[in-house]
Amino acid sequence: MDCVVAKAGKEKKVRNFYPGLFADELESAPDRPGVVQVFSIHNDLLGVGYYDPRSRVALRVYRFEDGPLDKKFFLHRFAQAKEKRARMGDFHRLVHAEADGLPGLVVDRFGEILVVQVRNRAMEVLRETWLPALIEVVEPVGIYERSDMDSRRQEGLPEKIGVIYGEVPQVLEVDEDGLVFQIPIALAQKTGYYLDQRENRRLLEHMVEPGQRVLDVYSYAGAFALRAARKGAYALAIDKDLEALGVLDRTASRLGLRVDIRQGDALEVLESLTRSKTPPFQHVLLDPPTLVKKPDELPRVKRLLVDLLRPALRILDSKGWLWLSSCAYYLGVDELLEVTRRAAADEGRRLRVHAIHYNPPDHPWSLHVPESLYLKTVIFQDDPL
């Protein structure tokens, strides 16, 4: 097995269970990609990983002790992940990449169907080893791959979308607390359904009162809006994805619920609602897509969020609730507070921070991998004096 040597000081990252080193953090490395042992400059063994100079992160560490990256290793990792989620039902994230010790691999479980994302070169090369192990541990009926994300393109890898094992239905059925969504898998965003917002959706349903008005912006398949409607509230969902809104409409019809739908750009629809003098909403939810993937994009994205929040606040009822989420690592809680403070100042609204929520347990947040904390939701309440 080849070896790489971490530069002086950089070995601390690996010793603290951080699983990646850039090329300029390596003192020496082999001429070819492959599985490697990782050493400090003092010849202390740090672990075993996969080295590829073409990768955005040249070294991905999978073990923090010696040993092969063989089927037995992956059987153990998948068994650990499964055990952690043993009481989380049939719909959850089974593997959350680095937080589960498997950088570059995401696996979502939808009953007997798995949807996987392979995000880096290491996991792509190791596919023939980890895939049989995943099948043996989970015993799914079928596995669908949805490897079409930006991180894969940054690795120089082609997109891969389609069935990679067994039989997968054309429509993915997702049951969330009695709300059953039928999502065409070929049209799905990410792995098909945003499992990570489930706890926030439960909280919304608990907080909403019959007769209230709820605005679900960036609704996708409308899980927030449907929970509000089930509680007896009026719900309006906004999204630019017409197929997703179609899923919402069909789900509402099957359940005998009413959710109004507006297809279009979020900012344009929000501004249209303010011009039309729509009655105020007691809950306004903003859950935009990632938006920012590099630090230098932050100023632009913060301006966009302020622009979104202004009309959202104009149609928020007195003492109403504003829900703002970010699934971008670089857009943290401090940034969410800043943009909301700026918009509130522009609109003359006084807000109170009611609660801050993070990734749910099936999307674990590893202390040693800051990037594994990606989802932040701040719930504000209008707080007039």
Side-chain angles (χ1 to χ4, degrees):
M1 189 184 300
D2 289 329
C3 68
V4 300
V5 177
K7 284 185 176 179
K10 298 303 180 182
E11 80 284 352
K12 294 177 182 178
K13 293 175 67 175
V14 182
R15 284 195 172 122
N16 197 33
F17 303 106
Y18 189 81
L21 291 177
F22 292 99
D24 62 2
E25 296 178 309
L26 301 177
E27 184 71 30
S28 64
D31 296 328
R32 57 186 180 182
V35 177
V36 295
Q37 290 178 311
V38 186
F39 290 90
S40 72
I41 60 170
H42 302 296
N43 207 34
D44 299 318
L45 179 69
L46 304 173
V48 174
Y50 191 88
Y51 170 75
D52 191 330
R54 297 168 297 173
S55 182
R56 189 172 56 90
V57 180
L59 174 68
R60 312 273 182 174
V61 182
Y62 289 90
R63 312 184 65 129
F64 296 93
E65 75 288 326
D66 202 6
L69 301 184
D70 56 7
K71 184 180 178 183
K72 182 179 178 181
F73 164 78
F74 285 107
L75 285 170
H76 177 65
R77 281 282 195 271
F78 291 133
Q80 281 184 315
K82 183 180 177 182
E83 182 181 359
K84 291 175 186 175
R85 296 154 173 88
R87 298 185 180 182
M88 295 186 186
D90 293 333
F91 298 86
H92 54 252
R93 175 150 294 183
L94 178 65
V95 175
H96 189 47
E98 289 87 351
D100 282 299
L102 293 167
L105 183 65
V106 168
V107 182
D108 283 351
R109 180 180 178 183
F110 299 97
E112 295 182 317
I113 304 300
L114 301 181
V115 180
V116 305
Q117 288 185 333
V118 182
R119 298 180 172 184
N120 64 30
R121 286 183 170 274
M123 272 299 177
E124 185 62 48
V125 172
L126 295 168
R127 175 188 294 264
E128 299 306 315
T129 306
W130 62 256
L131 183 56
L134 178 63
I135 294 167
E136 184 173 328
V137 171
V138 185
E139 298 181 312
V141 168
I143 303 177
Y144 189 84
E145 181 166 1
R146 188 83 199 194
S147 297
D148 59 347
M149 70 296 301
D150 284 341
S151 60
R152 188 174 172 92
R153 288 187 281 273
Q154 291 169 6
E155 295 277 292
L157 294 169
E159 294 183 356
K160 286 191 176 181
I161 301 175
V163 179
I164 59 172
Y165 171 76
E167 297 182 0
V168 176
Q170 292 185 346
V171 175
L172 188 68
E173 190 166 279
V174 183
D175 185 344
E176 182 177 292
D177 298 340
L179 293 176
V180 180
F181 298 85
Q182 293 181 344
I183 301 173
I185 198 163
L187 299 175
Q189 297 179 19
K190 292 193 174 181
T191 60
Y193 186 76
Y194 293 90
L195 294 165
D196 52 6
Q197 285 280 21
R198 177 173 48 211
E199 299 304 319
N200 285 328
R201 291 190 286 261
R202 287 172 174 162
L203 178 60
L204 174 71
E205 188 169 8
H206 174 74
M207 292 175 62
V208 166
E209 298 176 6
Q212 288 188 332
R213 291 169 56 82
V214 176
L215 179 61
D216 183 5
V217 187
Y218 300 102
S219 67
Y220 185 50
F224 278 108
L226 284 163
R227 281 183 177 270
R230 184 164 69 175
K231 196 68 178 290
Y234 166 80
L236 172 61
I238 300 171
D239 204 281
K240 66 180 180 180
D241 187 333
L242 199 56
E243 283 82 9
L245 292 175
V247 171
L248 164 55
D249 193 44
R250 291 189 292 274
T251 305
S253 179
R254 282 196 308 274
L255 294 169
L257 299 173
R258 178 190 170 186
V259 175
D260 283 352
I261 291 169
R262 289 283 296 272
Q263 191 268 337
D265 175 77
L267 179 57
E268 292 176 3
V269 176
L270 282 169
E271 290 178 338
S272 172
L273 289 172
T274 63
R275 290 193 300 269
S276 66
K277 310 288 187 188
T278 184
F281 292 86
Q282 284 71 46
H283 292 268
V284 175
L285 300 101
L286 296 173
D287 184 16
T290 301
L291 295 176
V292 53
K293 295 174 182 177
K294 297 183 294 184
D296 59 7
E297 295 175 337
L298 262 178
R300 173 187 61 81
V301 171
K302 288 198 290 187
R303 287 193 298 271
L304 171 62
L305 285 175
V306 172
D307 289 342
L308 282 168
L309 284 160
R310 287 192 193 109
L313 287 168
R314 283 177 215 146
I315 55 178
L316 180 69
D317 197 18
S318 176
K319 298 184 181 179
W321 303 87
L322 174 69
W323 303 58
L324 179 60
S325 293
S326 166
C327 58
Y329 168 67
Y330 292 109
L331 194 64
V333 169
D334 287 346
E335 287 73 28
L336 296 182
L337 296 175
E338 176 194 343
V339 296
T340 308
R341 188 182 297 114
R342 287 164 55 185
D346 291 343
E347 297 301 319
R349 300 295 289 263
R350 185 174 186 269
L351 303 179
R352 173 180 70 88
V353 177
H354 172 72
I356 300 173
H357 299 286
Y358 300 97
N359 309 0
D362 61 331
H363 295 63
W365 171 12
S366 172
L367 172 66
H368 309 283
V369 187
E371 297 88 343
S372 63
L373 169 62
Y374 73 101
L375 181 63
K376 290 79 55 177
T377 298
V378 185
I379 306 172
F380 303 90
Q381 186 179 25
D382 181 59
D383 191 27
L385 290 174

